[in-house]
Amino acid sequence: MKIFVNDKPLDLVATKDFLPKKSFECVYDNPVELPASADFHDDVLIKNPSKDIIVQLLYLLRTRKLKNLDSVTLVTDEKSMLKKFIKSRFVIIKAAGGVVTKEDKVLFIFRLGKWDLPKGKFEKKETPEGCAVREVEEECNVKVKLNKPICITWHTYTQNRKSILKKTYWYNMKCTNDTKMKPQVEEGIMDIKWLKHQEAKTALINSYPSMRYLYKQFLKSNPEIYQTL
């Protein structure tokens, strides 16, 4: 489980599945207290965190800038329990969206000063697939065909003093008609563009870390595209 807390990736990994592909500059094993925020830098590994440590960590990530921090990884024998505990600290909102392709291009939207991918919240009794198609078609005024799922992203934000954890289901989609394509301005979307994959990588510099993670998963799920880059 990877959660983007204040745009910082927090990974929760079971001990049996922990096969590190990177080195960690800060390592804490079964800590009683977390260090000062100034001590957190680069990639942080915390082994066997307690619930109290989880609470401290979430507060630290949500309330500090932590400019020198790249990521936090939690390794535990109790992944299921801690995953449930972390989710209990937030109000959960579900959403869905799509990475829409047309030939060698991907559909991006520009909202709140950043490049993004179309998505939106569930309506009552809506399925992830139904929500994804509806939101993409509403936000971009295009017609799409739903294909295989890509991944689920999690990210946090604050709304009306409530801590929100948004769970977003993402799908591969093919555009079937874009003749009337236009941004849904009432949703804050100021522009829509078809971007080639190299252009998309540049646009993602001015985006969110969760979107860069999503795009990497999209490329991995489409090896015919990945191999051409």
Side-chain angles (χ1 to χ4, degrees):
M1 183 184 192
K2 183 189 294 286
I3 304 175
F4 289 86
V5 185
N6 209 6
D7 284 340
K8 300 295 183 181
L10 171 65
D11 283 293
L12 180 62
V13 183
T15 302
K16 63 182 179 61
D17 298 325
F18 183 54
L19 298 170
K21 297 179 180 179
K22 61 185 178 183
S23 60
F24 294 90
E25 285 69 31
C26 303
V27 179
Y28 307 94
D29 194 348
N30 195 21
V32 177
E33 295 286 339
L34 285 183
S37 60
D39 294 335
F40 265 36
H41 63 89
D42 299 301
D43 295 300
V44 174
L45 173 63
I46 303 177
K47 298 180 179 180
N48 304 307
S50 65
K51 287 183 178 180
D52 285 342
I53 289 295
I54 295 291
V55 172
Q56 292 177 43
L57 178 63
L58 291 175
Y59 178 81
L60 188 65
L61 291 173
R62 285 160 49 197
T63 59
R64 300 289 188 272
K65 292 295 184 182
L66 301 178
K67 293 181 179 180
N68 296 321
L69 177 67
D70 291 330
S71 71
V72 178
T73 300
L74 307 178
V75 178
T76 176
D77 295 328
E78 301 178 315
K79 179 182 175 181
S80 180
M81 182 271 290
L82 286 185
K83 179 179 178 179
K84 185 176 181 180
F85 178 72
I86 290 172
K87 290 167 67 175
S88 74
R89 308 293 298 180
F90 298 88
V91 175
I92 307 292
I93 290 178
K94 293 183 179 181
V99 180
V100 185
T101 59
K102 185 179 75 168
E103 297 174 351
D104 62 342
K105 298 178 181 177
V106 175
L107 188 60
F108 274 78
I109 63 174
F110 193 76
R111 174 163 47 193
L112 300 177
K114 292 183 181 290
W115 288 104
D116 204 346
L117 291 159
K119 64 183 179 299
K121 299 174 186 175
F122 279 32
E123 292 185 349
K124 191 174 182 180
K125 296 183 179 179
E126 199 167 33
T127 64
E129 296 85 354
C131 174
V133 171
R134 176 184 57 77
E135 284 290 342
V136 168
E137 293 187 341
E138 287 179 357
E139 291 193 342
C140 303
N141 203 34
V142 296
K143 293 296 181 182
V144 298
K145 178 184 177 182
L146 186 75
N147 289 325
K148 60 186 178 181
I150 302 171
C151 67
I152 293 173
T153 60
W154 300 80
H155 77 273
T156 70
Y157 61 95
T158 300
Q159 186 176 63
N160 299 325
R161 295 187 178 181
K162 292 182 179 179
S163 296
I164 309 296
L165 177 58
K166 181 180 279 189
K167 178 182 184 180
T168 306
Y169 299 81
W170 292 97
Y171 295 88
N172 286 280
M173 296 182 183
K174 292 286 186 182
C175 180
T176 59
N177 190 333
D178 65 348
T179 56
K180 297 181 179 180
M181 185 173 80
K182 63 178 181 180
Q184 191 178 23
V185 177
E186 58 268 31
E187 287 295 322
I189 303 171
M190 305 311 296
D191 196 8
I192 304 176
K193 282 187 178 180
W194 287 109
L195 299 179
K196 291 188 176 182
H197 297 296
Q198 292 296 339
E199 296 171 326
K201 291 172 70 175
T202 300
L204 285 164
I205 295 172
N206 180 30
S207 186
Y208 303 97
S210 58
M211 292 300 95
R212 291 191 284 272
Y213 168 77
L214 166 63
Y215 195 74
K216 287 180 180 178
Q217 300 307 306
F218 160 70
L219 292 177
K220 288 179 181 178
S221 71
N222 293 274
E224 70 282 3
I225 296 173
Y226 189 80
Q227 291 170 2
T228 65
L229 298 182

